[in-house]
mmCIF file of all heavy atoms in Angstrom:
data_model
loop_
_atom_site.group_PDB
_atom_site.id
_atom_site.type_symbol
_atom_site.label_atom_id
_atom_site.label_comp_id
_atom_site.label_asym_id
_atom_site.label_seq_id
_atom_site.Cartn_x
_atom_site.Cartn_y
_atom_site.Cartn_z
ATOM 1 N N PHE A 8 1.824 7.257 -6.289
ATOM 2 C CA PHE A 8 0.719 8.170 -6.612
ATOM 3 C C PHE A 8 1.161 9.624 -6.479
ATOM 4 O O PHE A 8 0.904 10.455 -7.360
ATOM 5 C CB PHE A 8 -0.470 7.904 -5.680
ATOM 6 C CG PHE A 8 -1.547 8.954 -5.779
ATOM 7 C CD1 PHE A 8 -2.438 8.958 -6.838
ATOM 8 C CD2 PHE A 8 -1.634 9.966 -4.825
ATOM 9 C CE1 PHE A 8 -3.416 9.936 -6.936
ATOM 10 C CE2 PHE A 8 -2.603 10.938 -4.917
ATOM 11 C CZ PHE A 8 -3.498 10.931 -5.968
ATOM 12 N N ILE A 42 9.100 47.841 -34.852
ATOM 13 C CA ILE A 42 9.998 48.630 -35.708
ATOM 14 C C ILE A 42 10.209 49.958 -35.007
ATOM 15 O O ILE A 42 9.317 50.799 -34.945
ATOM 16 C CB ILE A 42 9.408 48.807 -37.118
ATOM 17 C CG1 ILE A 42 9.149 47.430 -37.747
ATOM 18 C CG2 ILE A 42 10.369 49.627 -37.995
ATOM 19 C CD1 ILE A 42 8.504 47.482 -39.120
ATOM 20 N N VAL A 65 5.717 52.055 -41.618
ATOM 21 C CA VAL A 65 5.423 50.943 -40.712
ATOM 22 C C VAL A 65 6.165 51.062 -39.381
ATOM 23 O O VAL A 65 6.082 50.152 -38.550
ATOM 24 C CB VAL A 65 5.762 49.600 -41.386
ATOM 25 C CG1 VAL A 65 4.857 49.363 -42.587
ATOM 26 C CG2 VAL A 65 7.229 49.539 -41.788
ATOM 27 N N THR A 98 20.053 58.300 -21.885
ATOM 28 C CA THR A 98 21.209 58.880 -22.571
ATOM 29 C C THR A 98 22.300 59.288 -21.582
ATOM 30 O O THR A 98 22.042 60.053 -20.649
ATOM 31 C CB THR A 98 20.770 60.117 -23.380
ATOM 32 O OG1 THR A 98 19.753 59.714 -24.318
ATOM 33 C CG2 THR A 98 21.927 60.731 -24.123
ATOM 34 N N LEU A 99 23.516 58.790 -21.823
ATOM 35 C CA LEU A 99 24.651 59.091 -20.943
ATOM 36 C C LEU A 99 25.890 59.486 -21.731
ATOM 37 O O LEU A 99 26.970 59.631 -21.158
ATOM 38 C CB LEU A 99 24.937 57.871 -20.062
ATOM 39 C CG LEU A 99 23.793 57.522 -19.087
ATOM 40 C CD1 LEU A 99 23.909 56.084 -18.610
ATOM 41 C CD2 LEU A 99 23.770 58.485 -17.914
ATOM 42 N N GLN A 153 11.768 63.891 -15.500
ATOM 43 C CA GLN A 153 11.564 65.034 -16.384
ATOM 44 C C GLN A 153 10.554 64.697 -17.478
ATOM 45 O O GLN A 153 9.699 65.520 -17.832
ATOM 46 C CB GLN A 153 12.887 65.470 -17.008
ATOM 47 C CG GLN A 153 12.808 66.643 -17.977
ATOM 48 C CD GLN A 153 12.406 67.952 -17.314
ATOM 49 O OE1 GLN A 153 12.446 68.067 -16.096
ATOM 50 N NE2 GLN A 153 12.001 68.933 -18.103
ATOM 51 N N MET A 157 6.878 66.483 -18.025
ATOM 52 C CA MET A 157 6.501 67.112 -19.289
ATOM 53 C C MET A 157 5.262 66.459 -19.913
ATOM 54 O O MET A 157 4.863 66.814 -21.012
ATOM 55 C CB MET A 157 7.680 67.056 -20.268
ATOM 56 C CG MET A 157 8.879 67.873 -19.821
ATOM 57 S SD MET A 157 10.323 67.700 -20.924
ATOM 58 C CE MET A 157 9.762 68.628 -22.365
ATOM 59 N N ILE A 159 4.946 63.206 -20.664
ATOM 60 C CA ILE A 159 5.287 62.004 -21.429
ATOM 61 C C ILE A 159 5.081 60.782 -20.542
ATOM 62 O O ILE A 159 5.549 60.749 -19.399
ATOM 63 C CB ILE A 159 6.748 62.065 -21.916
ATOM 64 C CG1 ILE A 159 6.950 63.262 -22.851
ATOM 65 C CG2 ILE A 159 7.158 60.766 -22.598
ATOM 66 C CD1 ILE A 159 8.415 63.580 -23.139
#
Side-chain angles (χ1 to χ4, degrees):
F8 170 78
I42 302 177
V65 295
T98 302
L99 296 160
Q153 179 66 15
M157 295 176 72
I159 298 167

